[in-house]
Amino acid sequence: MRRIVVALLAAVLFALPLFGNGAGLAAPPENPSIRLKTATFRPSAGERPSLPPGLTIAGYAQNQRGYYIVQFAGPVEEEWKAQLAAAGAELLDYIPDFAFKVRMNPAQARRAESLPGVAWVGLFQPAYKLSPNLVRDGVHLYRVRVERGADGGLTRAAIAATGTEVLRHEGNVLLVAADSAQVEAIAQVLDVAWVENFMLPQKHNEYGAGAIIGAGTANTNGYNGSTQTVAVADTGLGGGSAATAHSDIPGSRVVSVHNWPGTNDTCWSITDDGAIDVDSGHGTHVAVSVLGDGGASGEGIGTAPAARLVFQSTENWATMKGLCAASYPSGYYLTGIPSDLRPFYQQAYDAGARIHSNSWGSDAAGDYTLDSANTDTFVWTHRDMVITFSAGNAGIDANRDGVVDNDSTGSPATAKNVITVGASENDRQGNWHCDAGLSHTACASQGGQNDLFTYGTAWPDDFPVGPVGTDPSAGNAQQMAAFSSRGPADDGRIKPDIVAPGTWILSGYSDLYQEGYDSSTNPRNNTFQYDGWGFPLNRYYKYMGGTSMSNPIVAGGAAVMRDYYQKAHSANASAALVKASLINSAVDLLDENNDGANDNDFPVPNNHEGWGRVDLASATDGSSRFVDNGSGVSTNGSASYQYTVGTNGTPFKVTLVWSDYASTEAAAKNLVNDLDLTVTAPNGTVYRGNVFAGGWTQTGGTADRVNNVENVFVQSAGTGTWTVRVSGYNVPSGPQPFALVVDGASGVSTEPTPVPTNTPVPSPTPTTSTVMHVGDIDASASGGGNWTANVIITVHDANHTPVANATVSGSWSNGATGTASCITNSSGQCTIGKSGIAKRTTSVTFTVGNVSRSSYTYSSGANHDPDGSSNGTTIIVAKP
């Protein structure tokens, strides 16, 4: 593991160019591009990508359903999508700009070309399936995703027929060992959607939370997380049970402890030790940082000391085999983290957790991966689930200029809908005490205090020169931790989102195999548990560092925010609202480059700290106004709000966040639903989202087409009425809900009344409770000769609550014909069957045409399928 001392994973760096959000409706670009990771080209301008000959196809057989790209003429309208689906096309992933990957046969492709709004139809070439980052020298491990709705068994067989060794098959993801030629053969397999490098996830807490990010003030004001449950996914928890977690986490606050050991295969053999935390003590440390209630003197207190805990233990000893043994030595790994993260999150959600804390990831260097996409999908379908990720510990100064380099954010921290957390420095005001009685340490000779090493002393190859290399690892809360991974994401998105202290964090020490306190070592590896940074305070608390440590502080902060909204406003805050609240109140660090001068060389937003350091005291002081809009806006739709500024010259801050529809790994730009933030001052001055210089919004600028976080921070606001407008520029998978947080206003209600706009809004605008969509489609088949296909449809409202008595209607195609309907039960489910299908027919397709119920509005653009077996509207049923 790359950085033992910093607890195994961290965050990102950024220097943001001037960009912004358009006021009113922006015209679509002339000759829009297709933006894939492997190629960018403008079809309407006659451009075509140059692709390797072994990674292209000429077309499909007459009745073969294959994969195409359909590009629309501009921002996507629902009518265009409906016409394309009616032509027999199955819409899959959105591809920028204004395009979709679709499944259809050549005749349907020809019909699609003639549809209104369609600008271009082209083949989705095998070359587009391969990550540009693939390691291609010799045999390596790769992760292969099978396209949703396709037959995973047939695809696996086709991959194996290329000579590729399939090591594992979990859901729609395969782990394979292949050489370069086999990788190209895999790309030629029809239903393979994506191939990326396989990387084992790695592990990436008191004074930092209470004093620096204002948790102590928020807790004193009653916002301590008591209404919230936080899930922590990590190595293990103390002795492996609620009763043996840690003295600061009483069993009464532990909802459940789940063990995820992983499975034995040709890659490794797992020794399942349950949920105990024996190697690094990482999981116990981060859990106490989230919600520990502290020792007698307040030591080790977490950010949300009254919250409840759901713990998911993922670490076990793995004995490596075959090719995996050549890449990884046997040892403790996070073997339990599944290939598809959605069931992982679902378990926590079902147990009542609405915050999910993750201090782990892979060194993806800014790439949007399958894990990123699956995480975004889960938040899209569970709008009130806040997921936090540590950004990574991959920050280095490779060019030896004394400043940490850009582009090192890990995955899934590159997801759009998570809160990505970087690490700033801790400042304990001189309190770095250690246990002088430990004979195996130098604590006594150091006067009972830990030595605060410099970054260059600890990691001379990573930080070879000053100022960052000569900077102490703690003591200045205005500085970044040098190891913290930097941004941006590869598509230019701002990462990390926020930062919190991540050096010398004092938190829980797992009570197993402690050197100096216990007589025996861990029999598995004959070593004691990791002592942490420096030397422990005592047998209950030790210091650790990394973005692993800053992340749980923010996860606890998310629990405090949700607790605030629940107690102060009786509101079940969405993930977008929590993220907007933390960003809008964040503090701009003054010495991000660690040169010892608080001169703010990198004002927010930047690649070091994102939007700044968390400030819970400000976020929960009741001064902000908020909107948590569940009905959303569509393409060309908008919503406007008015606020009053009563004092001249004060800052006026607005943050817009939306939990976006998941992107595809193949896309070069990962924003799907593109909203615009516009703020108009009383004198008519217009400010657009994300047009920044010197840490404050400037007039002018161009539309931000990259981020799903947009801000307007006016340094000196004039008195009078300010109008905040959210508009939909391109919403291909909507309508898109959003959250707004406004600070600096007075004299208005918490949710101001929308004011009319000249931009069309869907009429009538449905309320959250009256919007419904398909929340899941599952298929099954039975029979020997002639066979029967069954489709189970689940209907949800915008809060993902089942909708009963809804009529679902649709049609059969591609091997079956006819229409059918059913009425949902109290669980929101109903079944449509098709019998007597000819035995020569290998599969049939069912497409939902409409969902109706009195007083409800059907939003087909919100249809989805959590398990990825369909796109939420169309599903393929394979012959049994």
Side-chain angles (χ1 to χ4, degrees):
M1 298 185 205
R2 180 178 172 276
R3 216 190 287 288
I4 281 277
V5 177
V6 287
L8 312 150
L9 194 64
V12 198
L13 177 83
F14 193 83
L16 189 69
L18 195 70
F19 58 68
N21 220 347
L25 294 178
E30 185 177 355
N31 299 322
S33 296
I34 295 294
R35 304 178 191 273
L36 299 164
K37 286 180 179 175
T38 53
T40 296
F41 58 101
R42 297 178 300 158
S44 57
E47 297 176 358
R48 297 295 183 269
S50 177
L51 302 175
L55 290 171
T56 61
I57 57 173
Y60 298 103
Q62 182 176 357
N63 293 317
Q64 183 180 20
R65 287 174 67 80
Y67 297 94
Y68 296 80
I69 299 174
V70 176
Q71 187 177 44
F72 294 111
V76 180
E77 299 180 12
E78 287 299 314
E79 182 181 2
W80 294 348
K81 291 170 56 181
Q83 290 170 342
L84 185 59
E90 180 183 356
L91 280 72
L92 299 168
D93 296 313
Y94 175 77
I95 295 173
D97 294 328
F98 317 130
F100 281 89
K101 180 182 181 182
V102 302
R103 184 160 39 209
M104 56 187 173
N105 62 37
Q108 292 164 337
R110 288 191 293 271
R111 288 198 295 272
E113 287 179 316
S114 64
L115 292 175
V118 171
W120 176 77
V121 177
L123 292 167
F124 190 91
Q125 295 287 355
Y128 303 155
K129 304 177 183 181
L130 300 182
S131 168
N133 301 322
L134 289 184
V135 180
R136 301 282 292 272
D137 55 339
V139 178
H140 290 278
L141 300 175
Y142 303 102
R143 195 155 66 157
V144 180
R145 177 171 67 86
V146 179
E147 188 58 79
R148 64 176 181 266
D151 189 313
L154 291 177
T155 303
R156 173 176 178 162
I159 291 173
T162 68
T164 299
E165 182 181 2
V166 179
L167 304 176
R168 185 185 312 149
H169 184 185
E170 183 180 342
N172 68 338
V173 181
L174 291 80
L175 175 64
V176 305
D179 61 24
S180 183
Q182 290 165 337
V183 164
E184 294 193 2
I186 292 170
Q188 290 282 356
V189 173
L190 176 65
D191 291 319
V192 165
W194 182 248
V195 183
E196 65 186 23
N197 294 320
F198 171 75
M199 293 177 286
L200 270 171
Q202 53 185 317
K203 300 177 288 288
H204 281 178
N205 268 280
E206 201 185 355
Y207 227 90
I212 295 179
I213 71 164
T217 300
N219 295 166
T220 300
N221 290 336
Y223 308 123
N224 55 11
S226 64
T227 63
Q228 301 301 308
T229 300
V230 182
V232 175
D234 215 282
T235 57
L237 181 65
S241 67
T244 60
H246 190 272
S247 57
D248 290 355
I249 306 177
S252 59
R253 287 200 287 122
V254 180
V255 176
S256 53
V257 178
H258 302 277
N259 182 36
W260 286 68
T263 56
N264 295 318
D265 52 31
T266 56
C267 187
W268 57 44
S269 294
I270 294 168
T271 303
D272 183 2
D273 61 6
I276 60 175
D277 197 16
V278 295
D279 182 41
S280 63
H282 191 270
T284 306
H285 197 275
V286 300
V288 173
S289 287
V290 174
L291 46 74
D293 55 19
S297 300
E299 62 272 27
I301 191 168
T303 316
R308 298 179 294 277
L309 174 67
V310 172
F311 197 91
Q312 295 171 301
S313 175
T314 66
E315 185 178 71
N316 281 284
W317 180 273
T319 302
M320 296 297 178
K321 299 184 290 187
L323 183 62
C324 292
S327 303
Y328 301 96
S330 296
Y332 281 99
Y333 292 95
L334 304 180
T335 59
I337 294 175
S339 296
D340 186 344
L341 295 175
R342 291 171 295 182
F344 198 48
Y345 301 138
Q346 189 67 54
Q347 180 188 65
Y349 190 89
D350 291 344
R354 294 299 180 267
I355 301 97
H356 200 280
S357 175
N358 301 272
S359 291
W360 54 268
S362 60
D363 286 335
D367 192 23
Y368 187 90
T369 67
L370 173 60
D371 286 340
S372 308
N374 282 339
T375 300
D376 280 342
T377 295
F378 192 85
V379 179
W380 171 264
T381 57
H382 301 76
R383 300 301 176 94
D384 57 350
M385 182 63 143
V386 181
I387 299 180
T388 70
F389 266 97
S390 51
N393 294 336
I396 62 172
D397 178 19
N399 62 2
R400 302 174 66 90
D401 66 351
V403 179
V404 180
D405 305 333
N406 288 0
D407 193 23
S408 53
T409 306
S411 169
T414 51
K416 298 175 289 185
N417 298 337
V418 304
I419 299 175
T420 303
V421 184
S424 59
E425 279 191 10
N426 198 2
D427 182 5
R428 295 173 50 82
Q429 300 176 21
N431 295 286
W432 313 100
H433 303 298
C434 53
D435 189 343
L438 291 175
S439 60
H440 72 284
T441 74
C443 179
S445 65
Q446 294 173 183
Q449 288 268 34
N450 274 296
D451 176 30
L452 301 185
F453 54 80
T454 65
Y455 296 110
T457 301
W459 304 289
D461 293 337
D462 293 342
F463 311 109
V465 300
V468 69
T470 57
D471 186 57
S473 52
N476 187 345
Q478 295 296 328
Q479 293 181 332
M480 285 292 296
F483 54 76
S484 185
S485 290
R486 266 57 173 183
D490 282 355
D491 65 347
R493 281 177 293 117
I494 300 167
K495 289 291 177 179
D497 294 300
I498 47 179
V499 300
T503 66
W504 293 96
I505 301 300
L506 187 66
S507 190
Y509 199 158
S510 179
D511 187 24
L512 294 166
Y513 309 122
Q514 300 175 331
E515 187 171 4
Y517 303 113
D518 295 335
S519 59
S520 61
T521 60
N522 180 354
R524 178 58 53 191
N525 58 6
N526 296 315
T527 64
F528 286 104
Q529 183 190 149
Y530 173 53
D531 261 354
W533 277 26
F535 313 123
L537 177 66
N538 53 44
R539 69 179 308 148
Y540 303 106
Y541 306 100
K542 64 181 176 181
Y543 301 92
M544 293 177 75
T547 55
S548 275
M549 282 59 253
S550 56
N551 173 74
I553 289 175
V554 172
V560 169
M561 286 308 314
R562 283 186 52 84
D563 191 46
Y564 162 74
Y565 280 113
Q566 182 65 50
K567 291 174 177 175
H569 300 284
S570 300
N572 177 35
S574 68
L577 178 58
V578 172
K579 187 173 181 178
S581 301
L582 293 175
I583 287 175
N584 201 65
S585 56
V587 177
D588 189 358
L589 296 181
L590 298 180
D591 187 18
E592 305 90 338
N593 59 348
N594 299 60
D595 65 358
N598 289 342
D599 51 7
N600 203 10
D601 284 333
F602 296 93
V604 295
N606 60 68
N607 289 319
H608 301 272
E609 62 183 305
W611 294 100
R613 190 186 63 224
V614 171
D615 183 355
L616 290 177
S618 175
T620 60
D621 67 4
S623 63
S624 297
R625 308 291 186 253
F626 72 94
V627 175
D628 206 356
N629 184 305
S631 56
V633 295
S634 299
T635 299
N636 294 333
S638 70
S640 293
Y641 306 88
Q642 289 186 331
Y643 299 88
T644 300
V645 172
T647 303
N648 189 54
T650 58
F652 183 71
K653 300 177 70 175
V654 183
T655 296
L656 166 69
V657 174
W658 64 98
S659 296
D660 192 22
Y661 195 85
S663 181
T664 172
E665 313 96 298
K669 188 180 78 170
N670 299 116
L671 185 66
V672 175
N673 293 332
D674 188 354
L675 307 186
D676 286 343
L677 172 65
T678 307
V679 174
T680 304
N683 64 3
T685 302
V686 175
Y687 300 93
R688 301 171 175 88
N690 289 358
V691 179
F692 274 83
W696 297 100
T697 299
Q698 310 299 306
T699 57
T702 58
D704 182 349
R705 299 290 174 236
V706 176
N707 291 282
N708 63 320
V709 175
E710 296 197 4
N711 287 299
V712 169
F713 294 169
V714 178
Q715 186 174 18
S716 181
T719 58
T721 300
W722 289 68
T723 300
V724 176
R725 185 185 189 209
V726 178
S727 56
Y729 168 69
N730 177 46
V731 187
S733 298
Q736 176 62 63
F738 61 86
L740 277 173
V741 175
V742 179
D743 200 27
S746 61
V748 296
S749 61
T750 298
E751 288 201 40
T753 303
V755 299
T757 70
N758 294 324
T759 304
V761 180
S763 180
T765 302
T767 64
T768 298
S769 61
T770 59
V771 176
M772 62 180 177
H773 60 270
V774 175
D776 191 16
I777 307 183
D778 295 309
S780 63
S782 59
N786 291 348
W787 55 285
T788 298
N790 290 302
V791 177
I792 302 173
I793 304 104
T794 304
V795 179
H796 289 158
D797 65 15
N799 292 320
H800 304 285
T801 302
V803 177
N805 299 316
T807 300
V808 181
S809 57
S811 59
W812 296 95
S813 60
N814 301 312
T817 59
T819 59
S821 63
C822 62
I823 299 176
T824 59
N825 58 22
S826 59
S827 298
Q829 293 184 336
C830 65
T831 301
I832 291 176
K834 184 71 173 179
S835 59
I837 303 171
K839 62 181 181 181
R840 66 177 180 275
T841 302
T842 59
S843 66
V844 297
T845 301
F846 183 80
T847 301
V848 175
N850 190 38
V851 182
S852 61
R853 184 190 158 179
S854 176
S855 77
Y856 279 75
T857 299
Y858 173 44
S859 175
S860 60
N863 290 355
H864 61 270
D865 190 340
D867 58 21
S869 61
S870 77
N871 63 357
T873 301
T874 301
I875 190 166
I876 297 174
V877 188
K879 180 181 176 181

